[in-house]
mmCIF file of all heavy atoms in Angstrom:
data_model
loop_
_atom_site.group_PDB
_atom_site.id
_atom_site.type_symbol
_atom_site.label_atom_id
_atom_site.label_comp_id
_atom_site.label_asym_id
_atom_site.label_seq_id
_atom_site.Cartn_x
_atom_site.Cartn_y
_atom_site.Cartn_z
ATOM 1 N N ALA M 101 92.579 79.804 74.673
ATOM 2 C CA ALA M 101 92.953 79.786 73.258
ATOM 3 C C ALA M 101 93.854 80.966 72.917
ATOM 4 O O ALA M 101 94.855 80.821 72.207
ATOM 5 C CB ALA M 101 91.688 79.809 72.393
ATOM 6 N N GLU M 102 93.506 82.125 73.456
ATOM 7 C CA GLU M 102 94.337 83.313 73.187
ATOM 8 C C GLU M 102 95.730 83.142 73.787
ATOM 9 O O GLU M 102 96.742 83.504 73.178
ATOM 10 C CB GLU M 102 93.664 84.567 73.746
ATOM 11 C CG GLU M 102 94.422 85.839 73.366
ATOM 12 C CD GLU M 102 93.735 87.109 73.831
ATOM 13 O OE1 GLU M 102 92.552 87.060 74.227
ATOM 14 O OE2 GLU M 102 94.412 88.158 73.816
ATOM 15 N N LEU M 103 95.746 82.573 74.984
ATOM 16 C CA LEU M 103 97.034 82.349 75.654
ATOM 17 C C LEU M 103 97.892 81.362 74.848
ATOM 18 O O LEU M 103 99.109 81.546 74.713
ATOM 19 C CB LEU M 103 96.767 81.795 77.062
ATOM 20 C CG LEU M 103 97.809 82.068 78.143
ATOM 21 C CD1 LEU M 103 98.052 83.555 78.312
ATOM 22 C CD2 LEU M 103 97.352 81.463 79.464
ATOM 23 N N ALA M 104 97.230 80.345 74.307
ATOM 24 C CA ALA M 104 97.964 79.352 73.503
ATOM 25 C C ALA M 104 98.552 79.999 72.252
ATOM 26 O O ALA M 104 99.640 79.622 71.800
ATOM 27 C CB ALA M 104 97.023 78.210 73.124
ATOM 28 N N THR M 105 97.841 80.979 71.712
ATOM 29 C CA THR M 105 98.371 81.687 70.542
ATOM 30 C C THR M 105 99.574 82.537 70.930
ATOM 31 O O THR M 105 100.569 82.611 70.208
ATOM 32 C CB THR M 105 97.269 82.604 69.947
ATOM 33 O OG1 THR M 105 96.116 81.804 69.705
ATOM 34 C CG2 THR M 105 97.726 83.254 68.656
ATOM 35 N N LEU M 106 99.455 83.181 72.074
ATOM 36 C CA LEU M 106 100.544 84.063 72.528
ATOM 37 C C LEU M 106 101.769 83.278 72.981
ATOM 38 O O LEU M 106 102.903 83.741 72.833
ATOM 39 C CB LEU M 106 100.052 84.935 73.695
ATOM 40 C CG LEU M 106 99.020 86.017 73.357
ATOM 41 C CD1 LEU M 106 98.468 86.638 74.634
ATOM 42 C CD2 LEU M 106 99.656 87.093 72.480
ATOM 43 N N LEU M 107 101.502 82.104 73.588
ATOM 44 C CA LEU M 107 102.603 81.331 74.167
ATOM 45 C C LEU M 107 102.600 79.906 73.597
ATOM 46 O O LEU M 107 102.363 78.937 74.319
ATOM 47 C CB LEU M 107 102.465 81.280 75.702
ATOM 48 C CG LEU M 107 102.392 82.635 76.423
ATOM 49 C CD1 LEU M 107 101.969 82.455 77.865
ATOM 50 C CD2 LEU M 107 103.750 83.323 76.354
ATOM 51 N N PRO M 108 102.879 79.758 72.307
ATOM 52 C CA PRO M 108 102.795 78.425 71.693
ATOM 53 C C PRO M 108 103.818 77.450 72.261
ATOM 54 O O PRO M 108 103.650 76.232 72.160
ATOM 55 C CB PRO M 108 103.065 78.715 70.207
ATOM 56 C CG PRO M 108 103.799 80.011 70.180
ATOM 57 C CD PRO M 108 103.309 80.794 71.354
ATOM 58 N N GLN M 109 104.891 77.988 72.866
ATOM 59 C CA GLN M 109 105.949 77.111 73.386
ATOM 60 C C GLN M 109 105.598 76.500 74.733
ATOM 61 O O GLN M 109 106.271 75.574 75.202
ATOM 62 C CB GLN M 109 107.279 77.887 73.488
ATOM 63 C CG GLN M 109 107.368 78.904 74.612
ATOM 64 C CD GLN M 109 106.662 80.231 74.312
ATOM 65 O OE1 GLN M 109 105.881 80.336 73.363
ATOM 66 N NE2 GLN M 109 106.916 81.236 75.121
ATOM 67 N N VAL M 110 104.537 77.002 75.384
ATOM 68 C CA VAL M 110 104.172 76.499 76.720
ATOM 69 C C VAL M 110 103.168 75.360 76.571
ATOM 70 O O VAL M 110 102.129 75.519 75.925
ATOM 71 C CB VAL M 110 103.570 77.632 77.585
ATOM 72 C CG1 VAL M 110 103.192 77.097 78.971
ATOM 73 C CG2 VAL M 110 104.567 78.776 77.705
ATOM 74 N N ALA M 111 103.492 74.212 77.194
ATOM 75 C CA ALA M 111 102.605 73.048 77.091
ATOM 76 C C ALA M 111 101.342 73.258 77.923
ATOM 77 O O ALA M 111 101.401 73.804 79.021
ATOM 78 C CB ALA M 111 103.347 71.805 77.583
ATOM 79 N N ASP M 112 100.223 72.824 77.388
ATOM 80 C CA ASP M 112 98.921 72.876 78.066
ATOM 81 C C ASP M 112 98.653 74.227 78.721
ATOM 82 O O ASP M 112 98.273 74.325 79.891
ATOM 83 C CB ASP M 112 98.819 71.773 79.132
ATOM 84 C CG ASP M 112 97.375 71.641 79.636
ATOM 85 O OD1 ASP M 112 96.442 72.015 78.892
ATOM 86 O OD2 ASP M 112 97.193 71.205 80.780
ATOM 87 N N VAL M 113 98.866 75.264 77.958
ATOM 88 C CA VAL M 113 98.682 76.592 78.524
ATOM 89 C C VAL M 113 97.183 76.864 78.789
ATOM 90 O O VAL M 113 96.833 77.612 79.700
ATOM 91 C CB VAL M 113 99.335 77.656 77.603
ATOM 92 C CG1 VAL M 113 98.508 77.885 76.363
ATOM 93 C CG2 VAL M 113 99.581 78.944 78.348
ATOM 94 N N ALA M 114 96.319 76.197 78.025
ATOM 95 C CA ALA M 114 94.883 76.359 78.276
ATOM 96 C C ALA M 114 94.525 75.789 79.650
ATOM 97 O O ALA M 114 93.709 76.348 80.379
ATOM 98 C CB ALA M 114 94.078 75.678 77.178
ATOM 99 N N GLY M 115 95.156 74.665 79.992
ATOM 100 C CA GLY M 115 94.940 74.079 81.316
ATOM 101 C C GLY M 115 95.441 75.005 82.413
ATOM 102 O O GLY M 115 94.816 75.157 83.470
ATOM 103 N N THR M 116 96.578 75.633 82.159
ATOM 104 C CA THR M 116 97.118 76.603 83.117
ATOM 105 C C THR M 116 96.142 77.751 83.311
ATOM 106 O O THR M 116 95.917 78.196 84.441
ATOM 107 C CB THR M 116 98.482 77.143 82.604
ATOM 108 O OG1 THR M 116 99.371 76.056 82.427
ATOM 109 C CG2 THR M 116 99.072 78.142 83.578
ATOM 110 N N ALA M 117 95.559 78.220 82.208
ATOM 111 C CA ALA M 117 94.593 79.315 82.301
ATOM 112 C C ALA M 117 93.407 78.912 83.165
ATOM 113 O O ALA M 117 92.941 79.677 84.014
ATOM 114 C CB ALA M 117 94.126 79.730 80.903
ATOM 115 N N ARG M 118 92.908 77.686 82.953
ATOM 116 C CA ARG M 118 91.778 77.200 83.761
ATOM 117 C C ARG M 118 92.153 77.149 85.234
ATOM 118 O O ARG M 118 91.387 77.561 86.109
ATOM 119 C CB ARG M 118 91.355 75.810 83.291
ATOM 120 C CG ARG M 118 90.392 75.795 82.111
ATOM 121 C CD ARG M 118 89.739 74.417 81.942
ATOM 122 N NE ARG M 118 90.713 73.322 81.858
ATOM 123 C CZ ARG M 118 91.351 72.965 80.736
ATOM 124 N NH1 ARG M 118 91.126 73.628 79.610
ATOM 125 N NH2 ARG M 118 92.205 71.970 80.746
ATOM 126 N N GLU M 119 93.344 76.652 85.526
ATOM 127 C CA GLU M 119 93.781 76.550 86.926
ATOM 128 C C GLU M 119 93.890 77.937 87.567
ATOM 129 O O GLU M 119 93.523 78.138 88.722
ATOM 130 C CB GLU M 119 95.149 75.852 87.011
ATOM 131 C CG GLU M 119 95.089 74.357 86.755
ATOM 132 C CD GLU M 119 96.450 73.698 86.911
ATOM 133 O OE1 GLU M 119 97.438 74.425 87.144
ATOM 134 O OE2 GLU M 119 96.509 72.470 86.796
ATOM 135 N N LEU M 120 94.404 78.879 86.789
ATOM 136 C CA LEU M 120 94.554 80.237 87.321
ATOM 137 C C LEU M 120 93.189 80.860 87.605
ATOM 138 O O LEU M 120 92.980 81.457 88.678
ATOM 139 C CB LEU M 120 95.355 81.101 86.350
ATOM 140 C CG LEU M 120 96.864 80.818 86.345
ATOM 141 C CD1 LEU M 120 97.504 81.357 85.064
ATOM 142 C CD2 LEU M 120 97.524 81.438 87.563
ATOM 143 N N VAL M 121 92.257 80.715 86.667
ATOM 144 C CA VAL M 121 90.917 81.281 86.881
ATOM 145 C C VAL M 121 90.272 80.629 88.106
ATOM 146 O O VAL M 121 89.641 81.304 88.935
ATOM 147 C CB VAL M 121 90.040 81.111 85.620
ATOM 148 C CG1 VAL M 121 88.603 81.532 85.911
ATOM 149 C CG2 VAL M 121 90.601 81.930 84.470
ATOM 150 N N ALA M 122 90.469 79.309 88.234
ATOM 151 C CA ALA M 122 89.918 78.619 89.402
ATOM 152 C C ALA M 122 90.541 79.149 90.695
ATOM 153 O O ALA M 122 89.862 79.304 91.722
ATOM 154 C CB ALA M 122 90.150 77.116 89.274
ATOM 155 N N SER M 123 91.842 79.440 90.657
ATOM 156 C CA SER M 123 92.510 80.022 91.829
ATOM 157 C C SER M 123 91.933 81.389 92.158
ATOM 158 O O SER M 123 91.679 81.701 93.319
ATOM 159 C CB SER M 123 94.012 80.168 91.578
ATOM 160 O OG SER M 123 94.632 78.929 91.417
ATOM 161 N N PHE M 124 91.765 82.201 91.129
ATOM 162 C CA PHE M 124 91.199 83.542 91.357
ATOM 163 C C PHE M 124 89.819 83.421 92.003
ATOM 164 O O PHE M 124 89.495 84.161 92.933
ATOM 165 C CB PHE M 124 91.063 84.309 90.032
ATOM 166 C CG PHE M 124 92.363 84.583 89.321
ATOM 167 C CD1 PHE M 124 92.391 84.766 87.939
ATOM 168 C CD2 PHE M 124 93.557 84.674 90.016
ATOM 169 C CE1 PHE M 124 93.580 85.028 87.270
ATOM 170 C CE2 PHE M 124 94.757 84.932 89.351
ATOM 171 C CZ PHE M 124 94.766 85.101 87.978
ATOM 172 N N GLN M 125 89.043 82.460 91.476
ATOM 173 C CA GLN M 125 87.688 82.304 92.016
ATOM 174 C C GLN M 125 87.729 81.803 93.458
ATOM 175 O O GLN M 125 87.017 82.309 94.325
ATOM 176 C CB GLN M 125 86.901 81.313 91.158
ATOM 177 C CG GLN M 125 85.485 81.099 91.671
ATOM 178 C CD GLN M 125 84.662 80.309 90.680
ATOM 179 O OE1 GLN M 125 83.808 80.872 90.009
ATOM 180 N NE2 GLN M 125 84.926 79.013 90.588
#
Side-chain angles (χ1 to χ4, degrees):
Chain M
E102 186 176 347
L103 207 57
T105 306
L106 290 171
L107 304 168
Q109 73 281 14
V110 180
D112 192 25
V113 74
T116 302
R118 276 195 307 277
E119 287 183 356
L120 285 161
V121 173
S123 295
F124 297 154
Q125 180 170 254

